[in-house]
């Protein structure tokens, strides 16, 4: 499985993102990744193999290259993440905690629709990229996320880092948790609630099954 952390703040978010993601380390052992967005500079991303090392060891020296007031991070037990996509919906980065039982069927359908896959994991389609391609079939992000929920067999929770905050979506069966935290000038969403008080966030909301929420530094909206 795995765990993720995302935050959007009125100030630089990189420190919270780094430690918040690290608090999910017990949920995965194979890959770790971070992505941030800075207005005027765009998206920055890094992914590392964690099989022979720790998240902090791999990413600590890279932190100065990350900038921005919003970011997402992942500890994954499966595929390399985050994926960064440029689409008709705009640019976005995505992390997922998912178990997809019909991935081969969905892969065939997307290839038949003239889609292509660029991210491979152990010679197989990267599930997070597949989910991103299902999202961009929608007319907007909400429509695309609902397309994921309707087409996959299994479960998928996700964070989307956009140019306008973070979109949080919990799988419709509620098999994986997402908790939203709040502190002065910032919001966070995470798989592991213990990360929130350790970073001075107070628990604001437990996301419901199938619920989609947009986080901005000054508030959150149900979509």
């Amino acid at each position: 499985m795995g765990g993720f952390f995302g935050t959007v703040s009125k100030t630089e978010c990189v420190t919270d993102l780094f430690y918040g993601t690290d608090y999910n380390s017990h949920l995965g052992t194979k890959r770790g990744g971070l992505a941030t967005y800075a207005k005027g500079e765009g998206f920055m991303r890094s992914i590392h193999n964690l099989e022979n090392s720790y998240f902090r060891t791999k990413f600590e020296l890279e932190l100065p290259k990350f900038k921005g007031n919003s970011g997402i991070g992942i500890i994954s037990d499966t595929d390399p993440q985050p994926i960064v996509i440029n689409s008709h919906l705009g640019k976005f980065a995505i992390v997922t905690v998912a178990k997809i039982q019909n991935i081969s069927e969905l892969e065939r359908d997307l290839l038949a629709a003239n889609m292509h896959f660029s991210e491979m994991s152990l010679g197989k389609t990267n599930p997070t990229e597949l989910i991103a391609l299902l999202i961009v079939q929608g007319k907007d992000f909400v429509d695309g996320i609902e397309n994921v929920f309707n087409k996959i067999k299994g479960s998928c929770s996700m964070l989307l880092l956009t140019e306008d905050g973070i979109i949080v979506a919990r799988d419709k069966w509620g098999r994986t948790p997402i908790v939203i935290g709040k502190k002065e000038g910032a919001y966070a969403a995470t798989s592991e609630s213990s990360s929130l008080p350790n970073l001075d966030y107070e628990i604001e909301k437990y996301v419901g099954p199938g619920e989609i929420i947009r986080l901005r530094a000054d508030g959150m909206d149900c979509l």
Side-chain angles (χ1 to χ4, degrees):
M1 294 297 288
F4 50 52
F5 183 93
T7 183
V8 56
S9 173
K10 293 181 178 179
T11 59
E12 281 283 333
C13 73
V14 176
T15 299
D16 278 6
L17 177 63
F18 173 66
Y19 287 109
T21 304
D22 184 57
Y23 283 122
N24 289 274
S25 289
H26 63 287
L27 297 175
T29 59
K30 289 188 178 180
R31 301 287 187 273
L34 297 175
T36 56
Y37 172 74
K39 190 174 182 179
E41 298 190 41
F43 291 85
M44 288 144 277
R45 179 190 73 158
S46 183
I47 301 171
H48 285 294
N49 188 319
L50 304 181
E51 291 176 301
N52 298 310
S53 188
Y54 296 104
F55 177 84
R56 290 194 186 191
T57 304
K58 290 287 190 177
F59 284 91
E60 203 159 20
L61 294 178
E62 285 191 333
L63 289 185
K65 86 173 189 180
F66 287 99
K67 298 178 182 178
N69 294 3
S70 57
I72 55 176
I74 183 82
I75 304 288
S76 176
D77 225 5
T78 53
D79 47 312
Q81 306 181 47
I83 301 297
V84 179
I85 297 288
N86 189 11
S87 75
H88 73 102
L89 303 177
K91 291 183 180 180
F92 66 97
I94 177 173
V95 293
T96 68
V97 175
K99 187 173 182 62
I100 306 172
Q101 298 168 350
N102 61 332
I103 191 167
S104 296
E105 173 189 334
L106 293 171
E107 179 184 352
R108 288 194 300 269
D109 291 345
L110 288 167
L111 290 173
N114 297 323
M115 295 286 196
H116 74 277
F117 296 91
S118 59
E119 300 277 354
M120 303 298 288
S121 180
L122 299 176
K124 298 180 180 179
T125 295
N126 185 315
T128 299
E129 185 181 21
L130 184 143
I131 290 163
L133 293 180
L134 291 173
I135 290 172
V136 302
Q137 289 184 325
K139 64 180 185 293
D140 54 35
F141 282 115
V142 172
D143 187 50
I145 292 168
E146 289 176 346
N147 185 48
V148 173
F149 290 162
N150 291 332
K151 287 190 174 179
I152 68 167
K153 295 178 181 178
S155 66
C156 176
S157 293
M158 67 189 87
L159 301 179
L160 276 65
L161 175 64
T162 75
E163 296 174 333
D164 186 28
I166 294 173
I167 298 175
V168 180
R170 186 182 178 194
D171 75 275
K172 66 179 180 180
W173 305 113
R175 291 170 179 159
T176 51
I178 305 180
V179 187
I180 292 176
K182 177 184 178 181
K183 67 179 178 181
E184 184 67 30
Y187 280 85
T190 182
S191 304
E192 182 54 77
S193 61
S194 65
S195 63
L196 297 174
N198 289 331
L199 296 170
D200 298 324
Y201 292 88
E202 294 184 358
I203 292 176
E204 180 77 1
K205 177 181 176 62
Y206 291 90
V207 180
E211 195 169 8
I212 305 171
I213 295 171
R214 186 191 301 275
L215 298 180
R216 299 184 178 96
D218 57 358
M220 64 178 181
D221 299 298
C222 292
L223 301 178

